[in-house]
Amino acid sequence: MNLERLIEFKGVNHGLLLQIVAPFENFNDLLIGIRMKISAARDFFHGAHIVGVEGIILSEEQRVALFNLFTTKFGMTVSTLDSPSVQNFIFQNQQEEKEKEHNREERGVIQTPVVIDYSDYKTKIVRGVFRSGRTIDYDGNVVIVGDVNPGAEIRACGNIIVMGTLRGVAHAGKDGAEDAFVIASKMLPTQIRIADVSTRAPDGDESTLKTEIAYLKDGGVQIEEL
Amino acid sequence: MGEVIVVTSGKGGVGKTTTTANIGTGLVELGKTVVVVDADIGLRNLDIVLGLENRIVYDVVDAATGGCKIKRALIKDKRYEGLFLLPAAQTKDKDAINPAQMKALCDELKKDHDYVIIDCPAGIEQGFKNAIAGADRAIIVTTPEVSAVRDADRIIGLLEASEIEDYRLVVNRVRKDMVKRGDMMSIEDMTDILAVKLLGVIPDDENVIVSTNRGVPTVTNTASLSGRAFQNISRRITGERVEFLDLDESDGWFTKFLRMFAPNN
């Protein structure tokens, strides 16, 4: 039986997933199949990155053997040999822990609007034109050095600063931070959203626009010169 | 080794097929060999605009899937030496080929011709993905309308994501009088939003409709402003530096004479 047919490599976001697609009699056959498949396209696999193994539950010894095969023999890197569903489970667990932490902090507070100080929070800086259809969703502040075209969406938990013309949609404080703001060199958005409030910028003479800031005041979005 | 250029837009009806036919013919008139490929499978038009629809036997699906030898599917235009058409299939749809097949086809075609120009269908789905698969450069066609510019912006984003970095803009159907009145976007407005280099500007011209119906590309008609605009674009594609046309030439001599006395007219 052609041992290569036991396995397949699937390209996913961050690297390659090893999939066991057929039943095998002993683990050594599997190793041979993998070795054959990679040897057939050695250049392609050199430096490749394994991000998971699917279709088999590996024992400790099997893990070691597989790891050595990939790294020592073929010069690849391995981030994990867990299956994607296990990785997902671990990730979900981590997320739940984070949520619980977050809630634990807030439980002591009674009826205060959500105000999170994002000035010390992490910031993502993106350069270049943000074209129609492109989106960014970030757990922090976002700075765009370039224009944001209509049809593009910027969503941030923190603040948004556009060093260019903002013509798309900007949503600052998306998880409820009411003190978040949006700044743009030219404020011409299709919509501005801060926390739960959304509005559109007033029509004005485009040529006279200066840098403006949009923020929440008395439950409504205020836009004024910076 | 030739170059593969895809002519795309996002929006439908802005002039991709007309542009493909005209710059293809324009390049041939400059002495190049050109294959124009109709990638709009299921809705083929390039053959009509070139006046070659009666000569179709095989099509791009046959050629890309190995149903026939590529050379057999190419239609040699008898009027313009060096121009070949690879027509689309009319009885299939855009899932009939995949990007890998298209790329292989383009790689093969560019061995024997100076330019391979691909007429991309409207949209961003499978047809678009197929059309750009083998491309080295892109020409984005748009009209001076907000909706067309929006779609062009999206397309440029998708081209950048596919690592096609050499792309330039053609603005079609410009009406200078409307721009002056402020009823139509100016070229500066468009290149500002799209952040892209300009390849050419084509004025709105009745001659284009006449020529597409007759199957004779307007680029061969030097009396028409649109014809001259397409010629200039063809020259720029070969690397020549050409001044942009003064679109006011569409006015008669008397109007120009009057303008001497009232320069703001």
Side-chain angles (χ1 to χ4, degrees):
Chain A
M1 124 128 225
N2 185 356
L3 291 174
E4 271 187 60
R5 297 230 196 95
L6 288 174
I7 58 134
E8 257 171 42
F9 282 98
K10 180 176 172 183
V12 292
N13 265 339
H14 301 289
L16 293 174
L17 189 64
L18 170 66
Q19 292 175 318
I20 318 296
V21 295
F24 54 90
E25 292 205 295
N26 60 66
F27 188 72
N28 211 46
D29 280 352
L30 192 67
L31 288 177
I32 295 174
I34 296 174
R35 194 179 302 148
M36 283 167 69
K37 198 150 194 138
I38 299 182
S39 299
R42 212 156 173 146
D43 282 349
F44 174 77
F45 281 103
H46 185 76
H49 191 66
I50 301 289
V51 295
V53 180
E54 203 171 53
I56 185 176
I57 302 175
L58 294 164
S59 74
E60 210 46 67
E61 290 146 24
Q62 290 172 337
R63 274 177 183 264
V64 173
L66 207 52
F67 185 86
N68 281 332
L69 182 66
F70 285 134
T71 54
T72 315
K73 179 123 181 80
F74 288 111
M76 296 160 70
T77 50
V78 176
S79 67
T80 173
L81 295 174
D82 286 332
S83 72
S85 30
V86 167
Q87 293 179 47
N88 211 31
F89 180 77
I90 296 174
F91 179 75
Q92 297 286 35
N93 235 36
Q94 288 171 346
Q95 292 298 91
E96 276 169 11
E97 279 305 321
K98 264 201 221 152
E99 283 251 34
K100 284 191 200 147
E101 268 292 326
H102 191 72
N103 293 336
R104 246 174 269 146
E105 285 166 11
E106 294 209 323
R107 233 175 282 141
V109 172
I110 308 169
Q111 251 206 330
T112 317
V114 180
V115 173
I116 301 169
D117 186 3
Y118 276 98
S119 47
D120 291 329
Y121 216 60
K122 52 187 181 170
T123 300
K124 191 176 189 103
I125 304 179
V126 181
R127 295 183 64 178
V129 180
F130 225 73
R131 296 193 182 270
S132 183
R134 191 170 162 194
T135 60
I136 183 171
D137 212 312
Y138 191 63
D139 181 20
N141 305 310
V142 175
V143 175
I144 311 280
V145 184
D147 291 342
V148 176
N149 283 352
E153 290 188 18
I154 321 278
R155 285 182 229 114
C157 289
N159 309 303
I160 297 174
I161 300 177
V162 177
M163 303 190 62
T165 307
L166 171 59
R167 288 187 220 268
V169 172
H171 188 178
K174 69 181 175 113
D175 60 358
E178 292 176 4
D179 63 342
F181 56 78
V182 178
I183 295 177
S185 310
K186 272 210 189 157
M187 185 75 78
L188 295 164
T190 37
Q191 267 185 36
I192 290 263
R193 298 178 195 150
I194 298 182
D196 296 321
V197 184
S198 85
T199 186
R200 57 155 298 172
D203 296 316
D205 187 2
E206 196 175 308
S207 52
T208 58
L209 282 182
K210 308 225 173 99
T211 306
E212 287 175 312
I213 178 169
Y215 60 96
L216 273 188
K217 186 172 174 175
D218 303 325
V221 174
Q222 184 98 331
I223 300 180
E224 58 191 38
E225 256 181 57
L226 193 58
Chain B
M1 183 65 90
E3 270 193 277
V4 180
I5 306 178
V6 62
V7 178
T8 182
S9 69
K11 189 112 180 18
V14 297
K16 294 179 290 302
T17 303
T18 308
T19 299
T20 305
N22 278 285
I23 61 180
T25 310
L27 285 166
V28 160
E29 295 202 312
L30 293 172
K32 307 290 177 187
T33 56
V34 178
V35 179
V36 290
V37 180
D38 191 351
D40 199 350
I41 299 171
L43 293 172
R44 71 177 174 210
N45 288 311
L46 189 52
D47 53 306
I48 301 172
V49 166
L50 284 170
L52 297 173
E53 73 247 44
N54 296 330
R55 294 182 45 205
I56 299 176
V57 178
Y58 297 106
D59 55 55
V60 68
V61 176
D62 298 323
T65 57
C68 74
K69 277 209 160 64
I70 295 175
K71 278 203 164 64
R72 295 212 71 221
L74 296 183
I75 299 171
K76 187 170 151 60
D77 192 324
K78 294 179 180 148
R79 304 160 298 178
Y80 314 112
E81 178 78 35
L83 179 62
F84 297 85
L85 165 67
L86 182 54
Q90 186 67 337
T91 57
K92 304 188 178 86
D93 65 35
K94 290 161 179 67
D95 301 317
I97 61 175
N98 63 47
Q101 290 167 323
M102 195 62 173
K103 179 161 196 325
L105 175 65
C106 291
D107 288 343
E108 199 52 46
L109 285 171
K110 70 202 246 194
K111 287 182 193 163
D112 301 316
H113 303 269
D114 295 319
Y115 292 98
V116 178
I117 306 181
I118 311 223
D119 185 13
C120 180
I124 53 175
E125 299 81 18
Q126 188 64 31
F128 169 75
K129 292 179 189 155
N130 287 342
I132 64 171
D136 302 311
R137 292 159 66 170
I139 294 177
I140 297 131
V141 181
T142 185
T143 53
E145 294 166 286
V146 178
S147 43
V149 169
R150 187 72 55 89
D151 290 0
D153 194 40
R154 182 85 165 92
I155 284 288
I156 297 175
L158 294 173
L159 288 172
E160 285 173 341
S162 307
E163 290 168 7
I164 296 178
E165 277 153 37
D166 188 349
Y167 50 80
R168 308 243 268 163
L169 184 71
V170 166
V171 184
N172 197 14
R173 309 197 66 177
V174 173
R175 295 178 57 170
K176 192 87 187 246
D177 50 338
M178 286 183 74
V179 174
K180 278 202 195 126
R181 289 199 307 260
D183 285 334
M184 185 176 267
M185 292 174 83
S186 70
I187 308 296
E188 289 75 34
D189 290 336
M190 298 172 67
T191 50
D192 196 33
I193 297 184
L194 292 174
V196 64
K197 275 201 289 223
L198 193 62
L199 177 61
V201 176
I202 302 162
D204 200 23
D205 187 349
E206 280 182 1
N207 287 315
V208 173
I209 301 180
V210 173
S211 72
T212 52
N213 283 337
R214 289 211 188 123
V216 181
T218 177
V219 68
T220 56
N221 177 6
T222 42
S224 76
L225 211 52
S226 58
R228 304 229 308 275
F230 279 121
Q231 279 173 6
N232 288 353
I233 291 176
S234 306
R235 285 161 68 193
R236 286 185 203 115
I237 290 174
T238 63
E240 201 184 320
R241 292 193 61 166
V242 186
E243 287 273 308
F244 286 99
L245 283 176
D246 177 8
L247 295 185
D248 277 335
E249 278 184 49
S250 55
D251 296 331
W253 66 267
F254 189 64
T255 320
K256 282 196 247 186
F257 182 70
L258 276 183
R259 214 178 288 130
M260 281 200 283
F261 300 98
N264 295 324
N265 196 24

